[in-house]
Amino acid sequence: MSQPLAAGLAVALVSLAAILGPALGLSPWWITLVVALGLGSLTLDAARFGGRGGHVLAEALPGGQLRLRRIAIHEAGHVLVARQEAMAVRQVLVGSLACLRAGLNTSGSTELEPPAHAKLPPEELRRWSRVLQAGMVAEQLIYGQSVGGSDDRALLGRLWGLSGHDVDTAQREQRRARREVEQQLRRCQDELQAQAETLLAAAPRLGRPQVVGA
């Protein structure tokens, strides 16, 4: 839940409590306490977690492992295809807590060695198209659809745009790259799952220390 949405929901609940409280026999002191706790939580979330406290908490709850595993599958797709394309991976983070510790406002990240030049030749752009779409393809392969990848799509669009290619060419080449990645990951699903489990084991959660070198 975003910070503005959380704040709006808190205001709505306070307003509702103020209207219905007297009829239900609620003391004004209880309403004041709830308001103070709610505002304090929002302030703490904004100050310490950049408004992503809800994500951090959700990942710490019993069902959070499923959420983290999906993120791990996405990042594992990037890692495997980057390895196949001989592209260096600087860092892989899984989970909101890991990303917040690194100063990132996201739930998962695979940091690649940036290209040497802004304007890339076609074959280099195809390599980036395969690696950047690999996370979405991995999710699609395991879960039937992808929910992450907006940052990947945006970066891929910038790379093609900066290299001077028109939209039709960029979209055609990206579709071709995606088909190639689908074939790659289908052939190595066991490796994809194993890589995801390794990343998941190293993902920190509230109440659980980060496993170094997992």
Side-chain angles (χ1 to χ4, degrees):
M1 182 182 295
S2 66
Q3 191 76 4
L5 180 58
L9 181 60
V11 171
L13 290 175
V14 169
S15 300
L16 186 62
I19 295 172
L20 299 179
L24 297 175
L26 292 176
S27 168
W29 289 106
W30 281 111
I31 297 175
T32 302
L33 178 61
V34 169
V35 171
L37 289 174
L39 293 177
S41 298
L42 289 172
T43 301
L44 177 63
D45 182 19
R48 185 168 183 182
F49 299 116
R52 296 188 63 85
H55 296 276
V56 174
L57 180 60
E59 291 164 8
L61 296 174
Q65 189 80 352
L66 296 176
R67 171 185 168 88
L68 286 173
R69 188 175 187 280
R70 183 169 194 139
I71 298 170
I73 287 288
H74 183 106
E75 305 308 330
H78 288 308
V79 172
L80 287 187
V81 177
R83 188 179 300 157
Q84 293 166 354
E85 296 291 339
M87 293 178 66
V89 176
R90 288 182 168 181
Q91 177 179 245
V92 184
L93 300 172
V94 170
S96 299
L97 183 57
C99 291
L100 284 170
R101 287 175 175 174
L104 302 174
N105 188 23
T106 184
S107 295
S109 171
T110 297
E111 184 183 355
L112 302 165
E113 191 73 31
H117 305 284
K119 189 172 183 179
L120 301 176
E123 187 50 45
E124 191 69 11
L125 286 167
R126 294 185 188 106
R127 291 176 69 219
W128 277 93
S129 296
R130 289 189 287 269
V131 174
L132 288 175
Q133 293 184 99
M136 293 178 283
V137 172
E139 278 192 76
Q140 181 76 35
L141 186 62
I142 302 301
Y143 295 102
Q145 63 177 350
S146 62
V147 297
S150 58
D151 290 344
D152 299 326
R153 286 191 295 268
L155 176 56
L156 190 53
R158 288 196 297 272
L159 289 175
W160 278 94
L162 288 171
S163 297
H165 293 276
D166 60 84
V167 174
D168 289 341
T169 299
Q171 291 180 344
R172 183 174 64 253
E173 290 292 344
Q174 288 172 39
R175 288 193 297 268
R176 171 188 169 187
R178 186 170 183 125
R179 290 193 297 269
E180 293 170 350
V181 171
E182 287 174 356
Q183 295 172 1
Q184 286 176 277
L185 293 182
R186 283 188 186 281
R187 289 194 297 265
C188 60
Q189 286 193 54
D190 290 344
E191 190 177 355
L192 175 66
Q193 298 275 13
Q195 181 67 57
E197 291 302 322
T198 298
L199 295 176
L200 185 59
R205 299 165 67 184
L206 285 180
R208 193 195 81 170
Q210 185 170 6
V211 180
V212 179

